[in-house]
Amino acid sequence: MPGICAGRVAAVTGAGRGLGRAHALALVAEGARVVVNDLGASAVGAGASPGPAHQVVDEIRALGGQAVPHTGDITTTDGAASLLATALDAYGRLDTLVNNAGFLRDRMLVNLDEDDWDAVIGVHLKGHFLPLRHAAAHWRAEAKAGRTPNARVINTSSGAGLLGSVGQGNYAAAKAGILGLTLVAAAELARYGVQVNAIAPAARTRMTEQTFAETMAAPTDGAFDAMAPANVSPLVVWLSSAASDGVTGRVFEAEAGRITVMQGWRPGPTADKGGRWTPAEAGEAARRLLTKAEPPLPVYGAR
């Protein structure tokens, strides 16, 4: 298939449903060959099934595209390594990694137990790090062998990672961590021909449809479906392609027909005594500075 990703090979994690599926289909529509990863777990991370990954592969092949399934657990070293191996075995290369897999276990902090913390941090943050680490090692080896890649990584954060979200301390922490990982990876991997960016999407998926059932319902009158996962995918496809040359270390919000470049932390008002503050002086200075600073945006779900 012709398109801006013609000839490229992409691996998409969590591609059996929702955003990942939409990304895989959109990449194929623009000429990419895709490794469809999905463990087939439930919306809270329980169990496993090869069904979702294979179903999306069948869907792609029925459309005339090329795809292979990968049902390994990308939160483990073996699973992440086999994701790269699947791409190399099937297509001889990997050009783009889209980290997307995840699930939710929402609790208020006082009710959030250690297992729920570890599971969500594991699938989102570790599930980004391990595929990225194995892909990066491959691309570094290619660069050192004189075959510098034109590689892309697209990580998936969230508004919860940017602003916080009540009842999602584990998820917000993981998604904020992904932003930090994105910035470090962009800086470290640029010398090897790798660009790394992140998106913070808003769409109707298994993770959001129960919480926002009314506001995210698909229209029945043929109107534009603002919450369709496919609305986010065009930006992912462009970031995955060679057309995005020079764009790295950036974070984009994507929702409906809107794309926003997020600015991130920047220094605001500052006071410098030139020596050590007393606690009272530090407090007075902090109070003065806060009157000059922009107020923070509200945390999602805060009243």
Side-chain angles (χ1 to χ4, degrees):
M1 295 182 180
I4 64 171
C5 288
R8 295 180 69 80
V9 174
V12 184
T13 70
R17 305 178 178 92
L19 283 165
R21 172 185 170 273
H23 299 340
L25 289 168
L27 284 161
V28 168
E30 288 294 329
R33 295 165 288 175
V34 177
V35 179
V36 176
N37 161 265
D38 203 291
L39 183 62
S42 74
V44 294
S49 169
H54 284 271
Q55 288 167 11
V56 174
V57 168
D58 290 344
E59 185 177 2
I60 288 171
R61 291 175 177 172
L63 295 170
Q66 297 185 54
V68 292
H70 177 266
T71 58
D73 183 353
I74 46 82
T75 70
T76 68
T77 295
D78 289 346
S82 67
L83 177 65
L84 173 63
T86 297
L88 298 180
D89 290 346
Y91 303 120
R93 60 187 298 133
L94 178 66
D95 302 289
T96 294
L97 170 64
V98 181
N99 284 316
N100 168 78
F103 55 75
L104 294 177
R105 294 189 185 179
D106 292 351
R107 300 282 191 280
M108 301 299 273
L109 285 173
V110 295
N111 296 319
L112 185 63
D113 64 34
E114 188 175 359
D115 289 342
D116 292 332
W117 176 272
D118 288 345
V120 170
I121 294 293
V123 70
H124 289 281
L125 190 51
K126 190 176 181 181
H128 271 61
F129 161 66
L130 285 175
L132 172 57
R133 184 252 182 266
H134 286 281
H138 166 70
W139 288 324
R140 181 183 63 175
E142 289 290 286
K144 288 186 174 182
R147 299 183 296 271
T148 301
N150 193 6
R152 304 287 187 266
V153 178
I154 298 89
N155 292 329
T156 305
S157 184
S158 167
L162 294 163
L163 299 177
S165 181
V166 171
Q168 293 188 311
N170 48 3
Y171 178 71
K175 290 303 192 183
I178 287 167
L179 297 175
L181 177 63
T182 298
L183 300 180
V184 171
E188 290 185 358
L189 302 180
R191 72 188 71 179
Y192 306 124
V194 184
Q195 294 182 182
V196 186
N197 294 285
I199 60 167
R204 182 178 55 253
T205 70
R206 286 195 307 168
M207 293 200 305
T208 59
E209 63 185 359
Q210 296 302 317
T211 304
F212 306 107
E214 294 184 3
T215 58
M216 288 195 168
T220 58
D221 58 0
F224 173 57
D225 185 355
M227 290 292 102
N231 297 334
V232 177
S233 299
L235 177 61
V236 172
V237 172
W238 183 77
L239 289 171
S240 298
S241 74
S244 63
D245 186 51
V247 179
T248 194
R250 294 288 192 165
V251 179
F252 299 86
E253 273 197 334
E255 176 183 355
R258 178 174 58 85
I259 296 171
T260 303
V261 177
M262 303 305 290
Q263 301 285 9
W265 292 101
R266 294 177 179 272
T270 302
D272 185 353
K273 180 181 177 181
R276 182 178 300 167
W277 304 91
T278 67
E281 290 172 337
E284 291 173 2
R287 292 283 188 188
R288 289 195 302 271
L289 294 174
L290 286 169
T291 64
K292 303 174 184 178
E294 291 289 330
L297 294 174
V299 173
Y300 287 104
R303 297 180 179 179

